[in-house]
Amino acid sequence: MNPWVGLLKKEFRISRLCIFGSVGFVVISNLIAYAFSLKYGDPGILFVPSIVIVAFHVFYVAFFMFVSLQIESRHLHLWLHTSQSAFRLLGAKLFVGVVGFLVSFLVAGIFAYVGFVQLRGSYIAKETWDSMLVLNSGLIVAGNIVFLSICIAIWLVFCWTVYRLCKQFAPKLGIIMTSIIIVLFAWLENWFGKTALYDRLTKWGYFDIEFINTMVMNGKHVILEKTEHFPLGVLVYYACIAIGLFLLSAWLIDRKVEV
C-alpha cells in the first residue's frame, strides 16, 4: 500500500467521528430550525441559524487539526518516530480535515440557500430578486470562508509546534513562551501591514466582484448590486504566508521537536 494512502486511511479512521458528527450536527440543527420556522410561519427562523452555522465553519479545520493533534499527543513518540516526514504527517491531517470541512460546509450552504430563498416575498421584495446575484455573492462568501478556515488551521498548527518546542526547554513555561512568540508574530505582521513594501506585495491584480447589498423599502429588503475592486495580491500574500508557516512547522517537528 502507498504510505500516503495509508496515512490518509489512518487519519480518516481516527477522525471519522468528528467528521460525521459535524455533518449530523449541521443537519439536525437546521431541521430543528426549519420545524420552528414552519410552526411559527417565519422563514427567518431557519435563515438566521443556517447563516450562523455557515459562518462558524471558518473554525472547522482549525478545530479538526487541534483535536487530531491532541489525540496524537497521547502517543507522540509513536507518531513522530515513523518513516514519514512531518510534512506528510501534517499534510494527511490537513487533507482529511479539509475534505470533512467541504462536506459539512456544502450541507450547511444548501440549508442556508434554502433559508435565503424562503425570505423572498416576506422579507425580500420579489421584484428585486436576482438568483444569479445571490449565487455569485454566496460563492464569494464561501470562497473566503474556505480560504480563512485553512489559513487559521495552519496558524494553529504553527502555534502547536511552537508550544511543543518551548515545552522542551521550559516545561512549566511552555504556554507563556508560546503566547509571547505568537504575540510577537502578530505585532510584526501588523507593523509590516503598514509599510510601503506590503502595499507593493498586495495591491496588484485588481478585479471587480459583485455582491448583494440591501436596503429596506416599505418594510422589505431590496437587493441591490454592489461592485468592489479587490486585489488578487492580498490572497496570494496570505496564501504564501500560510504555506511558509506550514513548511516551517514541518521542518521544526522533523528537526527540533523531541519526545
Side-chain angles (χ1 to χ4, degrees):
M1 179 187 296
N2 187 301
W4 172 250
V5 175
L7 272 178
L8 293 179
K9 287 184 177 180
K10 175 247 184 183
E11 293 301 335
F12 177 76
R13 187 171 59 253
I14 67 174
S15 306
R16 58 188 175 186
L17 181 61
C18 180
I19 295 173
F20 293 137
S22 66
V23 175
F25 173 79
V26 169
V27 173
I28 293 173
S29 299
N30 280 286
L31 288 179
I32 291 175
Y34 180 65
F36 276 100
S37 71
L38 291 178
K39 179 179 180 180
Y40 294 102
D42 186 355
I45 297 177
L46 170 62
F47 176 68
V48 174
S50 67
I51 287 297
V52 171
I53 292 173
V54 166
F56 268 100
H57 273 75
V58 75
F59 303 108
Y60 182 103
V61 184
F63 178 77
F64 177 93
M65 294 296 290
F66 176 78
V67 172
S68 185
L69 288 171
Q70 286 301 103
I71 293 174
E72 299 293 359
S73 296
R74 301 171 188 171
H75 309 283
L76 196 59
H77 62 289
L78 296 177
W79 186 57
L80 294 180
H81 292 168
T82 64
S83 58
Q84 302 295 318
S85 66
F87 177 82
R88 283 177 171 265
L89 294 174
L90 293 175
K93 291 185 179 299
L94 186 61
F95 181 83
V96 173
V98 170
V99 171
F101 160 79
L102 291 176
V103 173
S104 179
F105 190 54
L106 177 62
V107 175
I110 292 174
F111 277 105
Y113 184 77
V114 171
F116 193 83
V117 169
Q118 289 190 343
L119 297 181
R120 180 173 51 182
S122 54
Y123 287 93
I124 299 174
K126 292 182 179 180
E127 62 271 18
T128 63
W129 180 268
D130 185 343
S131 59
M132 287 307 298
L133 182 57
V134 171
L135 181 60
N136 291 340
S137 300
L139 291 175
I140 291 171
V141 173
N144 281 314
I145 291 177
V146 172
F147 182 77
L148 284 174
S149 185
I150 295 174
C151 288
I152 293 173
I154 291 176
W155 268 102
L156 183 137
V157 171
F158 176 70
C159 293
W160 182 86
T161 304
V162 171
Y163 169 72
R164 301 302 312 187
L165 188 60
C166 292
K167 194 175 179 181
Q168 291 178 189
F169 299 100
K172 296 182 179 180
L173 300 176
I175 295 179
I176 296 176
M177 294 176 64
T178 303
S179 300
I180 293 174
I181 292 173
I182 298 305
V183 169
L184 179 60
F185 262 83
W187 178 83
L188 286 174
E189 184 178 3
N190 181 65
W191 169 81
F192 184 71
K194 299 176 182 178
T195 63
L197 180 57
Y198 173 83
D199 291 340
R200 282 196 167 192
L201 292 174
T202 60
K203 294 184 178 180
W204 55 271
Y206 282 89
F207 60 95
D208 294 337
I209 56 175
E210 297 178 349
F211 58 94
I212 290 176
N213 189 28
T214 63
M215 62 179 293
V216 177
M217 183 179 297
N218 298 325
K220 294 184 178 180
H221 289 272
V222 178
I223 296 178
L224 302 175
E225 181 178 328
K226 186 175 181 180
T227 303
E228 290 286 346
H229 302 290
F230 187 82
L232 180 63
V234 171
L235 296 178
V236 175
Y237 172 78
Y238 285 105
C240 289
I241 288 181
I243 294 172
L245 287 176
F246 188 81
L247 294 175
L248 178 59
S249 299
W251 184 86
L252 288 173
I253 291 174
D254 272 334
R255 292 168 174 77
K256 303 297 180 181
V257 174
E258 299 175 358
V259 293

